[in-house]
Amino acid sequence: MFPQLSHILTSSPTGRQQGIGILLCDKQTDGGFLVHHFLSFYLKGGCKVCFLGLQQSFNHYNLVAQKLGVNLSAAKEKGQLVFFEGLRAALDPLLDDRPDSALQASSPLQFLSSPTASLRSLYEFVCTSLTETSETTWKFPVLIIDDLSVLLSLGVSTENILNFMHYCRATLCSKLQGNIVVLVHDTEELGDEENDVVVKSLCYVSHLILHAEALATGYCKDIHGQVCSLVFTFKNC
């Protein structure tokens, strides 16, 4: 989709960067196109992907992926893609007839029952999805989150979000030598202090930062915005 990004990521079939964290930020524009790029990028590259879709439905991602030459339904069937549909999972407590205790024990969104609850259940879901990767089948595991700002909107504290990301990096990047791709909104101009803490903290530990923003000169019919990239080679995920 974007040859320049593929070049940064060493996208040849035999060599892709492993053990890195990629932060996607958008400001006054929609950075979702970057999420679609990385989803198709890693699936085409033969990686095992766990996708936390907190922003859109599976059908939305699947329709866009088909335009990029990837069939998400087929990837799910063969075990390459583990897709968590947050929009549907959030309704499970309302639609499920099981007792609350049994439902909460099986849901990665246990934190919805309490604003102060940790994201341990979501972390365990990610680990279960990716630690079962067979080296003979898939190259390496990848976690993609779209988007992390949704968790703040649901009342999760910045501390719990950063703890969740810390343990994901420790497991995915360090232990399994996989990659993490996270989208978060840049709301610095809006004075959202909690979101700013999350963005700045993730910037500090990311190897590659892609910042999509609207044009400073205003609306343009042919060009919708610009993408700036920052590459760090000295940081450990």
Side-chain angles (χ1 to χ4, degrees):
M1 183 175 178
F2 298 104
Q4 296 87 348
L5 293 185
S6 299
H7 176 71
I8 292 175
L9 294 169
T10 313
S11 62
S12 63
T14 57
R16 293 171 182 266
Q17 292 189 29
Q18 294 181 231
I20 64 173
I22 302 174
L23 178 63
L24 312 177
C25 290
D26 58 13
K27 182 178 181 180
Q28 297 180 344
T29 191
D30 184 8
F33 67 95
L34 292 171
V35 174
H36 296 296
H37 165 75
F38 283 103
L39 178 58
S40 62
F41 175 83
Y42 285 115
L43 288 177
K44 289 180 179 179
C47 299
K48 176 68 177 288
V49 178
C50 176
F51 190 98
L52 302 183
L54 307 176
Q55 182 72 19
Q56 300 287 349
S57 66
F58 175 78
N59 288 336
H60 168 81
Y61 295 107
N62 193 32
L63 288 174
V64 177
Q66 288 179 3
K67 296 180 180 179
L68 301 177
V70 177
N71 189 322
L72 298 189
S73 297
K76 284 179 62 178
E77 290 178 0
K78 64 183 181 180
Q80 184 183 10
L81 172 66
V82 177
F83 187 93
F84 178 73
E85 190 168 355
L87 294 178
R88 176 172 296 180
L91 297 176
D92 285 345
L94 301 177
L95 303 177
D96 202 298
D97 296 330
R98 289 178 295 171
D100 291 343
S101 57
L103 178 61
Q104 291 179 10
S106 63
S107 173
L109 298 184
Q110 291 181 26
F111 60 87
L112 292 178
S113 61
S114 173
T116 59
S118 69
L119 299 178
R120 180 175 179 176
S121 57
L122 190 60
Y123 166 73
E124 291 175 348
F125 172 82
V126 172
C127 290
T128 302
S129 302
L130 294 177
T131 52
E132 297 176 352
T133 300
S134 173
E135 296 181 358
T136 59
T137 304
W138 314 117
K139 291 185 177 179
F140 57 86
V142 177
L143 170 63
I144 302 178
I145 304 177
D146 181 25
D147 66 73
L148 205 62
S149 299
V150 172
L151 296 179
L152 283 172
S153 302
L154 293 174
V156 183
S157 67
T158 56
E159 180 182 0
N160 285 335
I161 290 177
L162 294 178
N163 284 340
F164 168 73
M165 293 305 304
H166 169 75
Y167 283 107
C168 285
R169 287 195 306 272
T171 302
L172 267 294
C173 298
S174 300
K175 182 178 179 180
L176 301 178
Q177 283 299 293
N179 294 348
I180 297 179
V181 181
V182 181
L183 173 66
V184 63
H185 301 304
D186 186 347
T187 59
E188 183 177 1
E189 294 183 352
L190 301 179
D192 190 337
E193 295 182 0
E194 291 186 343
N195 193 85
D196 291 343
V197 170
V198 172
V199 172
K200 292 177 181 178
S201 299
L202 293 180
C203 285
Y204 181 76
V205 296
S206 296
H207 296 77
L208 171 63
I209 302 174
L210 296 175
H211 198 283
E213 59 184 355
L215 294 175
T217 55
Y219 174 78
C220 177
K221 181 179 179 181
D222 298 321
I223 302 176
H224 295 168
Q226 59 187 2
V227 177
C228 301
S229 64
L230 293 174
V231 182
F232 300 92
T233 59
F234 56 88
K235 293 181 180 179
N236 294 322
C237 190

